[in-house]
Amino acid sequence: MHDDRSITEHRLRRVLKERIKPAVHSGSVPLALARWDAPGEPVPVAQGLAAAYEPCAAGEPWGPAWGTTWFKVTGTVPAGWAGRTVEAVLDLGFDRMMPGFQCEGLVHRADGSEVKALNPYNDWVRVADRAEGGERVEWYVEAASNPVLVEHTATYEGDRRTSGDQPLYRIARMDLAVFETEVWELVQDLEVLHDLMTQLDTKDARRYEILRAVDAALDAVDLGDVPGTAAAARTCLAGVLAAPAHASAHRISAVGHAHIDSAWLWPLRETVRKVARTSSNMVGLMDEHPEFVFAMSQAQQLDWIKTYRPELFERIKKKIADGQFVPVGGMWVESDTNMVGGEAMVRQFLYGKKFFMDEFGIETRNVWLPDSFGYTAALPQIVKLSGSTWFLTQKICWSQVNKFPHHTFWWEGIDGTRVFTHFPPVDTYNSDLGGAQLAHAARNYQEKGRGSRSLVPFGWGDGGGGPTREHLARAKRQRNLEGSPRVEVERPDAFFEKAHAEYADAPVWAGELYLELHRGTYTSQAKTKQGNRHSESLLREAELWAATAAVRVPGYAYPYEDLERIWKTVLLHQFHDILPGSSIAWVHREARETYRSVREELQGITLAAQTALAGEGGQALVFNCAPHARRGIPAGGAGVPAGAGQPVTVEERHGGGHVLANGRLLVEIDGRGLVVSAYDLEAGREAVAPGGAANLLQIHPDFPNMWDAWDIDAFYRNKVTDLVALDAMEVTESGPSAVTVRVTRSFGSSTAVQSLTLRCGAKTLDIVTDVDWHETEKFLKAAFPLDVKAERSASETQFGHVYRATHTNTSWEAAKFEICAHRWIHAEEPGWGVTLLNESTYGHDVTRDMRADGGQTTTIRLSLLRAPRYPDPETDQGAHTLRFALAPGAGIGDAVREGHALNLPERVVNGAGPVAPLLAVDNDAVVVEAVKLAEDRGGDVIVRLYESRGGRAEAALAPGFPVTAAVESDLLERPLPGDAVATPSPDGTVALRLRPFQIVTVRLRRA
């Protein structure tokens, strides 16, 4: 037989595109059209409906960037269409190649209720299944003219303040038409068979069976009368569509989904509308297809619907009760997990799961994080303590270097906790359920022979409208189809239950799920990251002192509602395109403004509580919020600092510069303003490598291959400029309590002023760097070459730390050329180490070099600032204040203590006398992460602690108030199963035993 395969396949593609698909809607008549352009920001629905509309027509331009245009569409169903299925086709000027990244619309009835959304693959509205002639149509379309910002080029369209005012779109079509059901079904048949056929091997007989059936179907179609011949064509395809799948076919659990970034190439206010549009489509699709299941994560997005679209929220609640609309994830937003602090990660689950329970009476069991940029090794324990069972991710498939070896596995965290995890082999969270993607999932699945199933999230995301009737048609046809994986639309929990039952002994992956991509997100948008870190610290302070005042001060009211509202604001801004710095300028401008408001409000709450605790008096009391005592003031208490040790001295250094000393450290700053010695006087060890200079600012070119704000590629290291030119150096403070040397440098179009301070009694050199940054596509680092032979570095993460190799023996280690650390990063050899502390910096790199003297130099560098041009061309431009510190002779325990001290500054309030801590812990290895009152408003005190050094620890928790019981609880403050209730000992203490990095939440019942 001659091979005419390519001819038939080409014929199919052309006939589908040019004849059959256009025939789905026939006999169209235009609708009357009028418009109103809303001034400024979006208006309430009632205002849009009541506006003064002016006539317009298809073909007219509309919509400047970020504008809203309301269209009124009216018309009458022709009498000759009686009994036919009628739809309106409302095309705002869509580009079908970019669903979710352009204009969108939401159709309303005259009473303001929503009908459905308009998107590139969902531009129809059903008028009637069986129309009556003369039926009147009247709708109002709220159309958003969001600019297309996916070209990865610098643009000022990313902020309304700098965007243009020219129309971006042109109305393409506003018609009534007959919906030809049989033609639509034929389209679905042919598309599924085409996709399946082209995935089969050219030697597979099944491919040719489909080919011949398609050929016959195309022969049966009269191109001049597609509606009249569609049924005959479908008959030709019935046989190949009925052939059942092989018994060993891969099994796919298809879950409807619409991944909607809570902010990214659009501002937060537009996401509010995106989730309403998509959700309205989903509940409508559920009405028509009772088998359809849709999973939606992010409690914040459902809360927006509750607030701004209460009528839609009630429809969603009914579908949740029916089991079709499935909340997943259990987090407030799909947050970043690399940079979010430990307590903030807890609150993502606390407020996310609490919302789902309060609003819908359900507890989510899975954690749904397909798109975050890597996953902290602390997460498994947090997941389990939140009451969740399973974890899903997708983004690891984006790694540039190493292919992750599993798709279903147990993920083990830093404390040993394991969580059953799935990584869908379809390699997308926006599947179209087409044959190519399903075949890829089956081929790519790495558990063959042990497991047989995977999960596929399907639907258009980011405002593309979610799953469509076409997706469901593909799922139906591929449920049991020879040559295809078996597809079943079902809830995520159903998949996880089956996968776990089938593969309970899945392999184990221990440690972080590091994404070998998007490493620049540890640094981009420094002020957003600084706002997050400061807000986390301020929330800790506010809760601690407010809880202390609520217990100690009669009449003081704990600000439950204010703290919860602020927490949710901070959690929202931890979304994985806000905190990582990968959103448009509008998003980060608003984030900076929000963080300023958060700071002011939290400082007010803290001051009010501290003032109430201090009482009336003129004594200056220092409040210590850190979890360790300092300067004689206990953790969580206030008083007068004790003496700090030897006075600090400063002398001229031979050859230029200055020598600072305080009896514990001796620091030499040379004539270039660089730290050439940081000598640990107590251990007799030098921290700075021979011939090296620490606190060396370095600048690199920064032009990654694609994702500007997201990525740094390893080749950035090929070229580096050391910033050693000195403008000025002077001693600005000269003891006895502290000595400060200020160093000023100019480079490019920028300046950096660094203040290096050694304090009385301290074993850290504090460095404050004020940078006026005006570079483009540059990367600023601060280097610290250390005389330490370290095989690995330790980086603080949530509730502990992770170790990473300093060598590059394998591609896995080499790929981690940029890493994330929270408050500190540490390098040591047995018996002695050095820590680099920071107040708001997350990106670091660690390298090792062997010297001629046989010693090893371990260089730690902080990533301070970047200057990518997409998606925000002004990223990081302007003034910054960055704080970090060098701590020679520090162990892990010192790093933990000093990291908290740097991030939790003391506060001074005048009062009557010392304030005793609300509680105390007698082992510095056990860190108090949070002290607050219980969420149920019952007045119990919640204490969250963790073991911080990676070893076992015993500690006594001593409440400073009468307690009747101590209940070990989960993160939602519910008693853990088993013997979780402990009665305090006669002296009031509670005995604790913690395994390495264990998180313990204790609920103290007040007498």
Side-chain angles (χ1 to χ4, degrees):
M1 182 183 295
H2 298 299
D3 185 2
D4 58 353
R5 173 173 44 86
S6 62
I7 294 173
T8 299
E9 291 171 1
H10 187 88
R11 177 191 184 195
L12 170 58
R13 288 190 288 269
R14 185 179 184 195
V15 171
L16 256 177
K17 178 181 179 181
E18 298 184 22
R19 293 294 185 269
I20 301 178
K21 284 187 176 181
V24 169
H25 288 102
S26 65
S28 65
V29 296
L31 289 158
L33 189 61
R35 67 186 284 177
W36 174 68
D37 296 299
E41 286 295 278
V43 301
V45 173
Q47 184 177 345
L49 297 177
Y53 288 77
E54 297 181 355
C56 66
E60 288 189 14
W62 70 278
W66 307 116
T68 300
T69 297
W70 284 79
F71 294 102
K72 181 179 181 180
V73 293
T74 55
T76 303
V77 176
W81 291 2
R84 306 290 298 277
T85 300
V86 177
E87 291 184 345
V89 181
L90 308 177
D91 186 340
L92 298 172
F94 296 123
D95 180 342
R96 295 187 187 278
M97 299 302 293
M98 292 185 294
F101 300 97
Q102 55 181 297
C103 59
E104 301 171 40
L106 183 59
V107 182
H108 300 81
R109 300 178 185 88
D111 63 5
S113 60
E114 79 287 334
V115 180
K116 69 182 294 289
L118 300 176
N119 311 97
Y121 288 98
N122 211 331
D123 60 358
W124 55 271
V125 182
R126 181 62 58 90
V127 176
D129 294 334
R130 292 181 59 84
E132 299 177 4
E135 186 173 345
R136 181 70 176 166
V137 172
E138 181 180 335
W139 290 317
Y140 295 80
V141 180
E142 180 189 16
S145 51
N146 300 329
V148 175
L149 299 175
V150 294
E151 294 93 345
H152 290 270
T153 56
T155 175
Y156 285 89
E157 295 288 282
D159 194 334
R160 180 149 201 164
R161 295 182 178 183
T162 56
S163 60
D165 58 2
Q166 296 302 308
L168 301 177
Y169 300 100
R170 192 174 296 275
I171 304 166
R173 183 180 179 185
M174 295 281 181
D175 296 336
L176 287 178
V178 174
F179 178 73
E180 301 288 356
T181 303
E182 201 68 17
V183 177
W184 182 85
E185 295 284 2
L186 176 60
V187 170
Q188 312 317 309
D189 291 345
L190 289 171
E191 287 193 332
V192 165
L193 289 171
H194 172 269
D195 287 356
L196 173 59
M197 177 173 61
T198 54
Q199 292 301 310
L200 296 172
D201 191 275
T202 55
K203 296 180 176 61
D204 191 327
R206 171 68 166 162
R207 179 164 183 155
Y208 293 92
E209 291 173 1
I210 296 172
L211 187 76
R212 301 309 165 205
V214 167
D215 213 17
L218 295 178
D219 287 342
V221 174
D222 180 347
L223 299 185
D225 182 18
V226 174
T229 55
R234 294 194 69 207
T235 300
C236 298
L237 303 174
V240 291
L241 285 168
H246 298 303
S248 61
H250 185 65
R251 296 177 181 272
I252 283 176
S253 297
V255 179
H257 184 53
H259 176 79
I260 301 179
D261 289 297
S262 288
W264 179 27
L265 302 180
W266 47 85
L268 288 167
R269 65 88 157 149
E270 192 57 30
T271 316
V272 174
R273 302 202 293 177
K274 283 177 179 281
V275 296
R277 296 180 196 120
T278 296
S279 297
S280 68
N281 279 2
M282 295 305 95
V283 293
L285 200 60
M286 289 169 191
D287 289 340
E288 298 296 322
H289 298 271
E291 79 283 3
F292 174 50
V293 170
F294 176 75
M296 185 170 179
S297 67
Q298 307 193 68
Q300 171 68 87
Q301 294 188 357
L302 285 161
D303 192 39
W304 280 331
I305 296 173
K306 178 186 177 184
T307 302
Y308 297 103
R309 294 280 179 174
E311 74 291 342
L312 176 58
F313 189 72
E314 291 305 311
R315 295 174 66 197
I316 290 172
K317 287 182 71 172
K318 182 180 184 305
K319 294 302 182 183
I320 290 174
D322 292 343
Q324 286 184 273
F325 200 114
V326 185
V328 293
M331 298 176 70
W332 190 248
V333 294
E334 288 185 16
S335 75
D336 170 78
T337 78
N338 290 309
M339 294 170 283
V340 172
E343 188 59 26
M345 189 65 74
V346 168
R347 303 305 174 94
Q348 288 284 353
F349 286 94
L350 170 63
Y351 290 120
K353 296 194 73 165
K354 185 174 182 293
F355 180 87
F356 293 143
M357 288 189 287
D358 290 348
E359 297 296 336
F360 313 124
I362 62 172
E363 180 167 3
T364 54
R365 299 175 65 191
N366 56 65
V367 178
W368 187 278
L369 278 178
D371 191 34
S372 298
F373 309 149
Y375 305 91
T376 170
L379 201 51
Q381 183 180 194
I382 297 171
V383 168
K384 185 173 181 180
L385 286 175
S386 76
S388 300
T389 309
W390 302 307
F391 183 80
L392 179 138
T393 177
Q394 183 71 74
K395 199 72 171 189
I396 298 301
C397 71
W398 286 42
S399 285
Q400 289 176 311
V401 181
N402 298 286
K403 181 179 175 63
F404 194 76
H406 313 298
H407 283 113
T408 298
F409 59 100
W410 289 95
W411 181 23
E412 181 180 302
I414 56 174
D415 74 312
T417 297
R418 293 179 180 178
V419 59
F420 193 73
T421 300
H422 184 62
F423 163 29
V426 70
D427 287 346
T428 179
Y429 41 79
N430 295 314
S431 175
D432 60 8
L433 288 187
Q437 291 184 356
L438 299 187
H440 173 76
R443 286 193 299 263
N444 190 37
Y445 183 62
Q446 298 186 95
E447 319 305 324
K448 296 181 184 72
R450 301 299 303 277
S452 65
R453 61 184 70 246
S454 66
L455 185 148
V456 172
F458 70 91
W460 304 110
D462 279 331
T468 64
R469 58 190 180 187
E470 288 78 14
H471 288 118
L472 297 182
R474 290 172 199 152
K476 179 181 178 181
R477 286 161 174 77
Q478 295 170 106
R479 181 178 177 86
N480 186 18
L481 181 63
E482 183 184 355
S484 168
R486 297 176 187 266
V487 178
E488 183 173 2
V489 176
E490 61 182 349
R491 295 164 61 95
D493 286 2
F495 161 77
F496 275 106
E497 287 167 354
K498 294 172 185 176
H500 182 263
E502 175 183 67
Y503 201 20
D505 61 342
V508 176
W509 178 272
E512 66 183 325
L513 297 175
Y514 178 92
L515 179 65
E516 297 171 356
L517 192 74
H518 292 359
R519 305 167 185 88
T521 58
Y522 310 150
T523 304
S524 296
Q525 298 287 358
K527 287 186 178 177
T528 298
K529 291 169 170 57
Q530 191 169 68
N532 175 73
R533 179 79 70 84
H534 289 177
S535 296
E536 290 178 344
S537 298
L538 289 164
L539 277 160
R540 174 197 174 96
E541 287 190 78
E543 287 185 335
L544 170 64
W545 301 123
T548 306
V551 173
R552 293 272 175 77
V553 180
Y556 178 87
Y558 188 82
Y560 291 104
E561 288 77 15
D562 290 339
L563 288 170
E564 179 173 336
R565 172 178 45 78
I566 296 168
W567 261 118
K568 288 178 178 177
T569 298
V570 173
L571 299 180
L572 167 59
H573 286 79
Q574 291 173 341
F575 178 73
H576 66 253
D577 276 307
I578 303 179
L579 178 54
S582 47
S583 288
I584 56 174
W586 190 340
V587 173
H588 292 290
R589 170 174 57 80
E590 288 190 332
R592 293 190 293 270
E593 295 165 359
T594 297
Y595 285 132
R596 278 194 291 270
S597 297
V598 164
R599 168 179 284 276
E600 291 173 4
E601 190 167 4
L602 287 174
Q603 286 177 334
I605 291 172
T606 296
L607 180 59
Q610 290 175 335
T611 301
L613 287 164
E616 295 186 5
Q619 188 174 14
L621 303 176
V622 176
F623 281 76
N624 174 24
C625 179
H628 304 96
R630 56 182 171 185
R631 296 204 295 161
I633 301 172
V640 179
Q646 294 185 21
V648 190
T649 61
V650 58
E651 298 177 356
E652 295 295 315
R653 178 180 176 273
H654 179 71
H658 305 281
V659 179
L660 287 57
N662 68 353
R664 303 190 71 192
L665 282 183
L666 187 148
V667 177
E668 293 188 36
I669 302 171
D670 73 1
R672 301 169 298 172
L674 301 176
V675 177
V676 292
S677 175
Y679 194 79
D680 178 355
L681 293 167
E682 296 171 339
R685 280 287 302 263
E686 174 61 63
V688 180
N695 191 38
L696 171 64
L697 296 180
Q698 297 178 310
I699 199 162
H700 298 267
D702 187 14
F703 191 67
N705 284 343
M706 182 174 178
W707 299 87
D708 290 12
W710 293 258
D711 283 356
I712 52 173
D713 289 325
F715 54 73
Y716 86 89
R717 291 178 169 178
N718 295 349
K719 185 175 182 180
V720 60
T721 301
D722 294 340
L723 304 181
V724 296
L726 184 66
D727 293 349
M729 178 168 57
E730 60 179 328
V731 176
T732 58
E733 183 180 9
S734 57
S737 60
V739 169
T740 299
V741 176
R742 186 169 64 198
V743 178
T744 303
R745 306 183 193 281
S746 300
F747 56 96
S749 301
S750 306
T751 58
V753 179
Q754 292 191 290
S755 296
L756 291 74
T757 302
L758 183 63
R759 304 184 192 281
C760 181
K763 207 173 178 183
T764 61
L765 176 66
D766 297 331
I767 302 168
V768 177
T769 302
D770 293 303
V771 184
D772 190 14
W773 180 248
H774 297 284
E775 306 306 303
T776 299
E777 294 169 350
K778 295 291 191 295
F779 194 9
L780 183 65
K781 292 253 186 182
F784 291 78
L786 307 175
D787 189 13
V788 176
K789 188 180 188 303
E791 298 301 309
R792 60 187 185 176
S793 64
S795 297
E796 188 189 36
T797 190
Q798 299 90 346
F799 302 105
H801 54 269
V802 292
Y803 289 108
R804 301 182 181 99
T806 59
H807 60 73
T808 55
N809 283 0
T810 72
S811 58
W812 293 88
E813 285 118 9
K816 296 181 181 180
F817 59 82
E818 183 80 1
I819 57 177
C820 183
H822 284 205
R823 288 168 286 217
W824 54 266
I825 187 168
H826 180 74
E828 70 174 356
E829 56 192 50
W832 196 81
V834 180
T835 292
L836 202 58
L837 308 150
N838 74 81
E839 186 215 32
S840 60
T841 297
Y842 295 93
H844 298 75
D845 73 87
V846 182
T847 55
R848 59 192 287 184
D849 297 285
M850 300 308 297
R851 305 189 300 266
D853 65 3
Q856 177 182 310
T857 297
T858 301
T859 301
I860 299 177
R861 299 197 302 166
L862 297 95
S863 302
L864 301 181
L865 294 170
R866 298 185 67 216
R869 303 207 65 212
Y870 176 81
D872 175 7
E874 299 294 326
T875 300
D876 283 339
Q877 300 299 296
H880 301 267
T881 298
L882 304 166
R883 294 177 173 84
F884 43 93
L886 177 67
I892 292 291
D894 302 309
V896 173
R897 182 185 64 252
E898 296 297 340
H900 280 96
L902 180 62
N903 281 266
L904 299 167
E906 300 166 328
R907 299 189 185 278
V908 179
V909 174
N910 287 338
V915 177
L918 186 61
L919 51 91
V921 177
D922 67 353
N923 184 345
D924 275 358
V926 178
V927 171
V928 175
E929 178 75 1
V931 179
K932 61 187 285 291
L933 294 195
E935 293 292 320
D936 62 9
R937 312 309 201 241
D940 289 349
V941 175
I942 302 295
V943 186
R944 192 151 15 255
L945 319 95
Y946 70 100
E947 195 290 316
S948 65
R949 300 179 186 177
R952 295 186 180 273
E954 295 185 1
L957 170 63
F961 54 95
V963 171
T964 61
V967 182
E968 187 177 355
S969 305
D970 68 8
L971 302 184
L972 275 67
E973 303 173 6
R974 304 171 297 192
L976 288 173
D979 187 16
V981 179
T983 302
S985 63
D987 65 357
T989 61
V990 178
L992 301 173
R993 293 183 178 180
L994 285 76
R995 66 178 183 272
F997 298 132
Q998 183 180 2
I999 304 167
V1000 174
T1001 301
V1002 180
R1003 184 178 185 126
L1004 299 173
R1005 292 179 178 166
R1006 293 164 60 190

